[in-house]
Amino acid sequence: MSSISRRSLLGYSGTTAAGAVLGAAGSAEAADTAAAETEASASAVFPSGTRFSADYTIGPIDASMTLTFSVSVMDTPTESVITPNEIANLLNELAESRGWPPATFYGTPAPAPLT
Protein backbone atom coordinates (compact mmCIF):
# COMPACT_ATOMS: atom_id res chain seq x y z
CA MET A 1 0.00 0.00 0.00
CA SER A 2 0.98 3.63 -0.14
CA SER A 3 3.30 5.27 2.37
CA ILE A 4 0.56 7.76 3.27
CA SER A 5 -1.21 6.81 6.49
CA ARG A 6 -4.99 6.55 6.43
CA ARG A 7 -5.28 8.90 9.41
CA SER A 8 -3.19 11.67 7.84
CA LEU A 9 -5.05 11.29 4.56
CA LEU A 10 -8.44 11.53 6.25
CA GLY A 11 -7.38 14.54 8.27
CA TYR A 12 -6.05 16.30 5.20
CA SER A 13 -8.60 15.66 2.47
CA GLY A 14 -11.81 14.15 3.80
CA THR A 15 -13.21 10.64 3.53
CA THR A 16 -14.28 10.67 -0.12
CA ALA A 17 -10.88 11.67 -1.44
CA ALA A 18 -9.17 9.36 1.03
CA GLY A 19 -11.25 6.43 -0.14
CA ALA A 20 -10.43 7.19 -3.74
CA VAL A 21 -6.70 7.38 -3.07
CA LEU A 22 -6.66 4.27 -0.88
CA GLY A 23 -8.72 2.37 -3.45
CA ALA A 24 -6.34 3.41 -6.21
CA ALA A 25 -3.37 2.27 -4.14
CA GLY A 26 -5.01 -1.14 -3.62
CA SER A 27 -5.69 -1.45 -7.36
CA ALA A 28 -2.09 -0.54 -8.14
CA GLU A 29 -0.87 -3.24 -5.76
CA ALA A 30 -3.15 -5.82 -7.37
CA ALA A 31 -1.84 -4.84 -10.80
CA ASP A 32 1.75 -5.11 -9.54
CA THR A 33 1.04 -8.59 -8.13
CA ALA A 34 -0.55 -9.75 -11.40
CA ALA A 35 2.40 -8.37 -13.38
CA ALA A 36 4.86 -10.16 -11.07
CA GLU A 37 2.95 -13.45 -11.50
CA THR A 38 2.95 -13.09 -15.27
CA GLU A 39 6.67 -12.35 -15.27
CA ALA A 40 7.34 -15.32 -12.97
CA SER A 41 5.41 -17.71 -15.20
CA ALA A 42 7.15 -16.41 -18.31
CA SER A 43 10.53 -17.13 -16.72
CA ALA A 44 9.51 -20.37 -14.98
CA VAL A 45 10.51 -23.60 -16.65
CA PHE A 46 8.17 -26.47 -15.87
CA PRO A 47 9.74 -29.85 -16.60
CA SER A 48 7.72 -32.74 -17.99
CA GLY A 49 5.64 -34.29 -15.20
CA THR A 50 5.20 -31.03 -13.25
CA ARG A 51 2.09 -31.11 -11.09
CA PHE A 52 -0.26 -28.12 -11.54
CA SER A 53 -2.99 -27.24 -9.09
CA ALA A 54 -5.67 -24.55 -8.69
CA ASP A 55 -8.08 -23.83 -5.86
CA TYR A 56 -11.57 -22.67 -6.78
CA THR A 57 -14.00 -21.08 -4.33
CA ILE A 58 -17.51 -19.71 -4.51
CA GLY A 59 -17.73 -17.37 -1.53
CA PRO A 60 -21.50 -16.75 -1.24
CA ILE A 61 -22.27 -20.47 -0.95
CA ASP A 62 -19.02 -21.41 0.83
CA ALA A 63 -18.02 -24.01 -1.78
CA SER A 64 -14.48 -24.99 -2.73
CA MET A 65 -12.76 -27.32 -5.15
CA THR A 66 -9.17 -28.13 -6.10
CA LEU A 67 -8.19 -29.33 -9.56
CA THR A 68 -4.79 -30.92 -10.14
CA PHE A 69 -3.13 -32.29 -13.28
CA SER A 70 0.28 -33.10 -14.70
CA VAL A 71 1.56 -33.57 -18.22
CA SER A 72 4.40 -35.88 -19.21
CA VAL A 73 5.62 -35.60 -22.78
CA MET A 74 8.04 -38.11 -24.27
CA ASP A 75 9.00 -38.49 -27.93
CA THR A 76 5.93 -36.57 -29.11
CA PRO A 77 5.94 -34.47 -32.27
CA THR A 78 5.63 -30.77 -31.46
CA GLU A 79 2.32 -30.39 -33.29
CA SER A 80 0.76 -33.17 -31.16
CA VAL A 81 1.83 -31.88 -27.73
CA ILE A 82 -0.95 -30.73 -25.41
CA THR A 83 0.49 -27.96 -23.25
CA PRO A 84 -0.26 -27.32 -19.57
CA ASN A 85 -1.66 -23.90 -20.57
CA GLU A 86 -4.19 -25.56 -22.88
CA ILE A 87 -5.31 -27.94 -20.14
CA ALA A 88 -5.56 -25.14 -17.56
CA ASN A 89 -7.66 -23.06 -19.98
CA LEU A 90 -9.97 -26.01 -20.70
CA LEU A 91 -10.40 -26.75 -16.98
CA ASN A 92 -11.19 -23.09 -16.30
CA GLU A 93 -13.76 -23.09 -19.14
CA LEU A 94 -15.41 -26.19 -17.66
CA ALA A 95 -15.40 -24.73 -14.15
CA GLU A 96 -16.86 -21.43 -15.40
CA SER A 97 -19.62 -23.30 -17.27
CA ARG A 98 -20.66 -24.74 -13.88
CA GLY A 99 -20.61 -21.39 -12.05
CA TRP A 100 -17.07 -21.37 -10.65
CA PRO A 101 -14.85 -18.33 -11.14
CA PRO A 102 -11.60 -18.86 -13.09
CA ALA A 103 -8.53 -19.81 -11.06
CA THR A 104 -4.78 -19.65 -11.57
CA PHE A 105 -2.93 -22.94 -11.75
CA TYR A 106 0.43 -23.09 -9.99
CA GLY A 107 3.16 -25.54 -10.87
CA THR A 108 5.26 -27.40 -8.36
CA PRO A 109 8.12 -27.82 -7.65
CA ALA A 110 8.57 -24.44 -9.37
CA PRO A 111 6.23 -22.20 -7.32
CA ALA A 112 5.08 -20.10 -10.24
CA PRO A 113 1.68 -19.46 -11.81
CA LEU A 114 0.79 -21.03 -15.12
CA THR A 115 -0.67 -18.34 -17.36
Side-chain angles (χ1 to χ4, degrees), residues 38-73:
T38 301
E39 185 178 315
S41 68
S43 63
V45 174
F46 297 108
S48 181
T50 296
R51 181 179 162 188
F52 297 94
S53 180
D55 294 320
Y56 294 81
T57 59
I58 300 178
I61 60 172
D62 198 29
S64 64
M65 158 175 77
T66 300
L67 294 179
T68 304
F69 70 91
S70 66
V71 179
S72 295
V73 179

Coordinates of all heavy atoms in Angstrom, one line a residue, residues 38-73:
T38 N 2.8 -12.9 -13.8 CA 2.9 -13.1 -15.3 C 4.4 -13.2 -15.6 O 4.8 -14.1 -16.4 CB 2.3 -12.0 -16.1 OG1 0.9 -11.9 -15.8 CG2 2.5 -12.2 -17.6
E39 N 5.2 -12.3 -15.0 CA 6.7 -12.3 -15.3 C 7.3 -13.6 -14.7 O 8.1 -14.3 -15.4 CB 7.3 -11.1 -14.6 CG 8.8 -11.0 -14.9 CD 9.4 -9.8 -14.2 OE1 8.8 -8.7 -14.3 OE2 10.5 -9.9 -13.6
A40 N 6.8 -14.1 -13.6 CA 7.3 -15.3 -13.0 C 7.0 -16.5 -13.8 O 7.8 -17.4 -14.0 CB 6.8 -15.5 -11.6
S41 N 5.8 -16.6 -14.4 CA 5.4 -17.7 -15.2 C 6.1 -17.7 -16.5 O 6.4 -18.7 -17.1 CB 3.9 -17.8 -15.4 OG 3.5 -16.7 -16.2
A42 N 6.4 -16.5 -17.1 CA 7.2 -16.4 -18.3 C 8.6 -16.9 -18.1 O 9.2 -17.4 -19.1 CB 7.1 -15.0 -18.8
S43 N 9.2 -16.7 -17.0 CA 10.5 -17.1 -16.7 C 10.6 -18.5 -16.1 O 11.7 -19.1 -16.1 CB 11.2 -16.1 -15.8 OG 10.6 -16.1 -14.6
A44 N 9.5 -19.1 -15.6 CA 9.5 -20.4 -15.0 C 9.6 -21.5 -16.0 O 9.0 -21.4 -17.1 CB 8.3 -20.6 -14.2
V45 N 10.4 -22.5 -15.8 CA 10.5 -23.6 -16.6 C 9.9 -24.8 -15.9 O 10.4 -25.1 -14.8 CB 12.0 -23.9 -17.0 CG1 12.1 -25.2 -17.8 CG2 12.6 -22.7 -17.7
F46 N 8.8 -25.3 -16.5 CA 8.2 -26.5 -15.9 C 8.6 -27.7 -16.6 O 8.2 -27.9 -17.8 CB 6.7 -26.3 -15.9 CG 6.1 -25.1 -15.2 CD1 5.7 -24.0 -15.8 CD2 6.1 -25.1 -13.8 CE1 5.2 -22.9 -15.2 CE2 5.6 -24.0 -13.1 CZ 5.2 -22.9 -13.8
P47 N 9.3 -28.6 -15.9 CA 9.7 -29.9 -16.6 C 8.6 -30.8 -16.8 O 7.5 -30.6 -16.2 CB 10.7 -30.4 -15.6 CG 10.4 -29.9 -14.3 CD 9.8 -28.5 -14.6
S48 N 8.7 -31.7 -17.7 CA 7.7 -32.7 -18.0 C 7.4 -33.4 -16.7 O 8.2 -33.8 -15.9 CB 8.3 -33.8 -19.0 OG 7.3 -34.7 -19.3
G49 N 6.1 -33.6 -16.4 CA 5.6 -34.3 -15.2 C 5.3 -33.3 -14.1 O 5.0 -33.8 -13.0
T50 N 5.5 -32.0 -14.3 CA 5.2 -31.0 -13.3 C 3.7 -31.1 -12.9 O 2.9 -31.3 -13.7 CB 5.5 -29.6 -13.7 OG1 6.9 -29.5 -14.0 CG2 5.1 -28.6 -12.7
R51 N 3.5 -31.1 -11.6 CA 2.1 -31.1 -11.1 C 1.6 -29.7 -11.0 O 2.2 -28.8 -10.4 CB 2.1 -31.8 -9.7 CG 0.7 -31.9 -9.1 CD 0.8 -32.6 -7.8 NE -0.4 -32.3 -7.1 CZ -0.7 -32.6 -5.8 NH1 0.3 -33.3 -5.2 NH2 -1.8 -32.3 -5.3
F52 N 0.4 -29.4 -11.6 CA -0.3 -28.1 -11.5 C -1.5 -28.2 -10.7 O -2.2 -29.2 -10.8 CB -0.6 -27.6 -13.0 CG 0.6 -27.4 -13.8 CD1 1.1 -28.4 -14.7 CD2 1.3 -26.2 -13.7 CE1 2.2 -28.2 -15.4 CE2 2.5 -26.0 -14.5 CZ 2.9 -27.0 -15.4
S53 N -1.8 -27.2 -10.0 CA -3.0 -27.2 -9.1 C -3.6 -25.9 -9.0 O -2.9 -24.8 -9.0 CB -2.6 -27.7 -7.7 OG -3.7 -27.8 -6.8
A54 N -4.9 -25.8 -8.9 CA -5.7 -24.6 -8.7 C -6.8 -24.8 -7.7 O -7.4 -25.8 -7.7 CB -6.2 -24.0 -10.0
D55 N -7.0 -23.8 -6.8 CA -8.1 -23.8 -5.9 C -9.2 -22.9 -6.3 O -9.0 -21.7 -6.6 CB -7.6 -23.4 -4.5 CG -6.6 -24.4 -3.9 OD1 -6.8 -25.6 -4.1 OD2 -5.6 -23.9 -3.3
Y56 N -10.4 -23.4 -6.4 CA -11.6 -22.7 -6.8 C -12.5 -22.5 -5.5 O -12.6 -23.4 -4.7 CB -12.4 -23.4 -7.8 CG -11.7 -23.6 -9.1 CD1 -10.8 -24.6 -9.3 CD2 -12.0 -22.8 -10.2 CE1 -10.2 -24.8 -10.6 CE2 -11.4 -23.0 -11.5 CZ -10.5 -24.0 -11.6 OH -9.9 -24.2 -12.8
T57 N -13.0 -21.3 -5.4 CA -14.0 -21.1 -4.3 C -15.2 -20.3 -4.8 O -15.0 -19.4 -5.7 CB -13.4 -20.3 -3.1 OG1 -12.9 -19.1 -3.6 CG2 -12.3 -21.1 -2.5
I58 N -16.3 -20.5 -4.3 CA -17.5 -19.7 -4.5 C -17.9 -19.2 -3.1 O -18.5 -19.9 -2.3 CB -18.7 -20.5 -5.2 CG1 -18.2 -21.0 -6.5 CG2 -19.9 -19.6 -5.3 CD1 -19.3 -21.9 -7.2
G59 N -17.5 -18.0 -2.8 CA -17.7 -17.4 -1.5 C -19.2 -17.4 -1.0 O -19.4 -17.8 0.1
P60 N -20.1 -16.9 -1.8 CA -21.5 -16.7 -1.2 C -22.1 -18.1 -0.8 O -22.9 -18.1 0.1 CB -22.3 -16.2 -2.4 CG -21.3 -15.5 -3.3 CD -20.0 -16.3 -3.1
I61 N -21.7 -19.2 -1.4 CA -22.3 -20.5 -0.9 C -21.2 -21.3 -0.2 O -21.5 -22.5 0.1 CB -22.9 -21.3 -2.1 CG1 -21.8 -21.6 -3.2 CG2 -24.0 -20.5 -2.7 CD1 -22.3 -22.5 -4.3
D62 N -20.1 -20.8 0.1 CA -19.0 -21.4 0.8 C -18.6 -22.8 0.2 O -18.5 -23.8 0.9 CB -19.4 -21.6 2.3 CG -18.2 -21.8 3.2 OD1 -17.1 -21.4 2.9 OD2 -18.4 -22.5 4.2
A63 N -18.4 -22.8 -1.1 CA -18.0 -24.0 -1.8 C -16.6 -23.9 -2.2 O -16.1 -22.8 -2.5 CB -18.9 -24.2 -3.0
S64 N -15.9 -25.0 -2.3 CA -14.5 -25.0 -2.7 C -14.2 -26.3 -3.5 O -14.8 -27.3 -3.3 CB -13.5 -24.8 -1.6 OG -13.6 -25.9 -0.7
M65 N -13.2 -26.2 -4.3 CA -12.8 -27.3 -5.2 C -11.3 -27.1 -5.5 O -10.9 -26.0 -5.8 CB -13.7 -27.4 -6.4 CG -13.1 -28.1 -7.6 SD -14.3 -28.2 -8.9 CE -14.3 -26.6 -9.6
T66 N -10.5 -28.2 -5.6 CA -9.2 -28.1 -6.1 C -9.0 -29.0 -7.3 O -9.5 -30.2 -7.3 CB -8.2 -28.6 -5.0 OG1 -8.3 -27.7 -3.9 CG2 -6.8 -28.6 -5.5
L67 N -8.5 -28.5 -8.4 CA -8.2 -29.3 -9.6 C -6.7 -29.4 -9.7 O -6.0 -28.4 -9.6 CB -8.8 -28.7 -10.8 CG -10.3 -28.6 -10.9 CD1 -10.8 -27.9 -12.2 CD2 -10.9 -30.0 -10.8
T68 N -6.2 -30.7 -10.0 CA -4.8 -30.9 -10.1 C -4.6 -31.8 -11.4 O -5.4 -32.7 -11.7 CB -4.3 -31.7 -8.9 OG1 -4.6 -30.9 -7.7 CG2 -2.8 -31.9 -9.0
F69 N -3.5 -31.5 -12.1 CA -3.1 -32.3 -13.3 C -1.6 -32.2 -13.5 O -0.9 -31.4 -13.0 CB -3.9 -31.8 -14.5 CG -3.4 -30.5 -15.1 CD1 -2.4 -30.4 -16.0 CD2 -4.0 -29.3 -14.7 CE1 -2.0 -29.2 -16.5 CE2 -3.6 -28.1 -15.2 CZ -2.6 -28.0 -16.1
S70 N -1.1 -33.2 -14.3 CA 0.3 -33.1 -14.7 C 0.3 -33.6 -16.1 O -0.5 -34.3 -16.6 CB 1.2 -33.9 -13.8 OG 0.9 -35.3 -13.9
V71 N 1.4 -33.2 -16.8 CA 1.6 -33.6 -18.2 C 3.0 -34.1 -18.4 O 3.9 -33.4 -18.0 CB 1.4 -32.4 -19.2 CG1 1.6 -32.8 -20.6 CG2 0.0 -31.7 -19.0
S72 N 3.1 -35.3 -18.9 CA 4.4 -35.9 -19.2 C 4.5 -36.1 -20.7 O 3.6 -36.7 -21.3 CB 4.6 -37.2 -18.5 OG 4.6 -37.0 -17.1
V73 N 5.5 -35.5 -21.3 CA 5.6 -35.6 -22.8 C 6.9 -36.3 -23.1 O 8.0 -35.9 -22.6 CB 5.6 -34.2 -23.4 CG1 5.8 -34.3 -24.9 CG2 4.3 -33.5 -23.1

